[in-house]
């Protein structure tokens, strides 16, 4: 700061901080020169002059090349020295300084936090969809497992439990539907005696009721809808057919040549 | 006492009490310290220049520091009888 402005700025400082009254300011005294005058007067007689909490002026003398050289030095106050000069500057270029890069660190942390919050929000909204997908996959896996179990076992046992004499109620493959028709899981073994589109019919007894059991061989172009209409007189009962013939995983996909077992209560 | 001498001049010239004089003197140097920290250097008319200078570290282990240095004006040195 240039010396010419110092007095003016200092007076402004005094006024802003309410250190002296307006009357003294208006007097137009050069406060800077008054302070200087006091220092000079003091150092003419003394070797030392304190500058409040700023530091100390001290007159020194030293012998240089046989001559006594006098000088004046300034010794800053310790607290002032620390406050102004307390920073460490690394000599090596490129050395990472946390203080210098603090702003950038905070920006990066802020961006990461925002991303975490965003993912959290997306996950919250899509959680049900994710859960449904996982459940769907689980049930498909279970169905496949069950299907494999159904197809495993003794290949010689091709016949279902059909007669009153040998029906086994403990067999886990025997159970009833809501309509109380006889339902048995079959293994999907083909009957060599039946050609595609042909069927066998027999009567069986179960739980005090008589059922017609059809063993039908699927032909090309068949659908569970058509077969249900033909044997059950109701195309809308096709889920019942699917429920009996558990080896069929996808009711929209049935293969020509595969067997289909159908039970119908014999009311006649 | 030299401190009283500086304040005495302020009191006499400004016609203020001792307390105000001391406060004014303190305020002057506080202002100088503040200006030095903000601008890096400050010149006082009739005295000299205070400035902050950074010194490079001598080796990797030592720290770089900043120091306050004072360059007295020729008039100041002449007035107080030094530099001869």
């Amino acid at each position: 700061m240039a010396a010419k402005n110092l007095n003016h700025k200092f007076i402004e400082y005094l006024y802003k901080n309410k250190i002296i009254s307006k009357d003294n300011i208006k007097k137009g005294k050069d406060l800077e020169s008054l302070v200087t005058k006091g220092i000079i007067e003091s150092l003419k007689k003394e070797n030392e002059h304190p500058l409040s909490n700023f530091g100390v002026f001290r007159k020194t003398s030293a012998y240089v090349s046989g001559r006594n050289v006098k000088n004046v030095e300034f010794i800053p106050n310790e607290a002032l020295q620390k406050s102004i000069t307390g920073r460490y500057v690394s000599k090596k270029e490129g050395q990472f300084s946390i203080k210098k890069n603090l702003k950038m660190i905070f920006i990066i942390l802020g961006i990461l936090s925002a991303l975490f919050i965003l993912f959290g929000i997306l996950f919250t909204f899509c959680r049900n969809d994710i859960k449904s997908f996982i459940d769907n996959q689980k049930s498909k896996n279970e169905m496949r497992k069950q299907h494999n179990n159904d197809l495993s076992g003794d290949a010689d046992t091709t016949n279902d439990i059909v007669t009153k004499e040998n029906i086994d109620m403990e067999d886990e493959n025997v159970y009833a539907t809501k309509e109380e028709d006889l339902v048995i899981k079959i293994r999907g073994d083909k009957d060599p005696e039946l050609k595609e589109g042909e069927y066998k019919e027999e009567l069986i007894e179960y739980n005090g009721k008589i059922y017609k059991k059809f063993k039908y061989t699927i032909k090309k172009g068949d659908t569970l809808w058509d077969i249900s209409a033909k044997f059950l007189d109701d195309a809308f009962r096709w889920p019942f057919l699917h429920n009996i013939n558990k080896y069929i995983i996808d009711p929209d996909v049935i293969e020509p040549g595969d067997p289909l077992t159908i039970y119908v209560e014999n009311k006649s | 006492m030299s401190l009283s001498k500086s304040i005495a001049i302020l009191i006499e010239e400004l016609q203020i009490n001792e307390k105000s004089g001391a406060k004014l003197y303190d305020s002057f140097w506080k202002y100088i310290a503040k200006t030095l920290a903000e601008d890096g250097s400050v010149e006082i008319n009739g005295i000299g220049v205070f400035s902050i200078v950074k010194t490079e570290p001598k080796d990797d282990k030592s720290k770089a520091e900043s120091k306050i240095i004072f360059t007295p004006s020729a008039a100041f040195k002449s007035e107080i009888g030094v530099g001869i």
Side-chain angles (χ1 to χ4, degrees), chain A residues 122-188:
Chain A
L122 281 171
F123 181 73
T124 306
F125 281 116
C126 301
R127 192 170 58 174
N128 290 334
D129 293 334
I130 294 167
K131 201 185 170 192
S132 316
F133 176 75
I134 293 169
D135 288 342
N136 225 8
Q137 291 300 314
K138 273 186 187 172
S139 61
K140 276 187 182 174
N141 285 338
E142 276 171 19
M143 279 179 74
R144 278 199 200 96
K145 201 177 168 186
Q146 203 169 3
H147 169 57
N148 289 335
N149 287 340
D150 289 342
L151 294 179
S152 65
D154 191 354
D156 294 335
T157 312
T158 56
N159 233 341
D160 307 314
I161 304 162
V162 291
T163 62
K164 185 182 175 182
E165 286 75 28
N166 66 355
I167 195 161
D168 181 4
M169 295 311 296
E170 299 302 314
D171 188 337
E172 62 182 9
N173 290 331
V174 178
Y175 59 92
T177 64
K178 292 179 201 177
E179 298 156 344
E180 296 178 351
D181 289 325
L182 189 64
V183 180
I184 298 173
K185 286 194 263 185
I186 63 166
R187 294 192 179 84

Side-chain angles (χ1 to χ4, degrees), chain A residues 1 4 28 31 37-38 43 48 50 117 124 151 173 192 220 249:
Chain A
M1 173 177 283
K4 287 179 187 176
L31 301 178
K37 187 179 174 183
L43 282 173
E48 215 175 81
I117 292 166
T124 306
L151 294 179
N173 290 331
K220 188 179 175 182
I249 295 171

Side-chain angles (χ1 to χ4, degrees), chain A residues 238-252:
Chain A
W238 69 263
F240 171 68
L241 287 184
H242 182 223
N243 207 27
I244 298 173
N245 299 275
K246 288 285 187 185
Y247 77 91
I248 299 170
I249 295 171
D250 187 348
D252 293 327

Side-chain angles (χ1 to χ4, degrees), chain A residues 1-6 9-10 13-14 18-20 24 27 29-46 48-54 57 59-60 67-74 76-77 80-81 84-92, chain B residues 1-3 5-6 9-10 13-16 20 22-37 39 41-47 50 52 54 56-70 72 75-77 79-84:
Chain A
M1 173 177 283
K4 287 179 187 176
N5 292 328
L6 184 66
K9 293 280 183 186
F10 175 53
Y13 169 82
L14 292 173
K18 296 174 185 175
I19 295 169
I20 61 172
N24 286 332
K27 282 180 183 177
K29 291 286 182 181
D30 187 346
L31 301 178
E32 182 191 356
S33 58
L34 289 175
V35 169
T36 305
K37 187 179 174 183
I39 294 169
I40 292 170
E41 292 293 320
S42 173
L43 282 173
K44 276 179 181 177
K45 296 171 187 175
E46 309 282 338
E48 215 175 81
H49 180 80
L51 307 173
S52 192
N53 287 329
F54 191 68
F57 275 138
K59 282 158 84 172
T60 61
R67 291 166 60 192
N68 186 17
V69 177
K70 291 181 185 175
N71 209 341
V72 60
E73 66 173 359
F74 168 70
N77 176 273
L80 174 71
Q81 176 74 33
I84 284 177
T85 66
R87 294 180 204 165
Y88 167 68
V89 176
S90 171
K91 188 182 181 184
K92 287 181 186 172
Chain B
M1 289 179 70
S2 43
L3 186 59
K5 181 72 178 174
S6 296
I9 289 172
L10 287 170
E13 294 287 335
L14 298 176
Q15 292 173 1
I16 52 177
S20 298
K23 197 174 178 184
L24 189 64
Y25 189 75
D26 283 344
S27 302
F28 180 81
W29 291 109
K30 273 185 188 170
Y31 177 72
I32 295 297
K34 177 177 165 291
T35 308
L36 184 61
D39 299 343
S41 74
V42 58
E43 183 185 352
I44 300 176
N45 214 1
I47 301 251
F50 294 93
I52 296 173
K54 282 186 183 175
E56 289 296 317
K58 292 174 187 174
D59 49 47
D60 291 343
K61 290 179 183 177
S62 58
K63 297 179 184 179
E65 290 182 343
S66 297
K67 287 171 64 176
I68 302 171
I69 62 164
F70 169 66
F76 181 58
K77 285 165 81 171
E79 288 279 351
I80 62 174
V82 298
I84 302 164

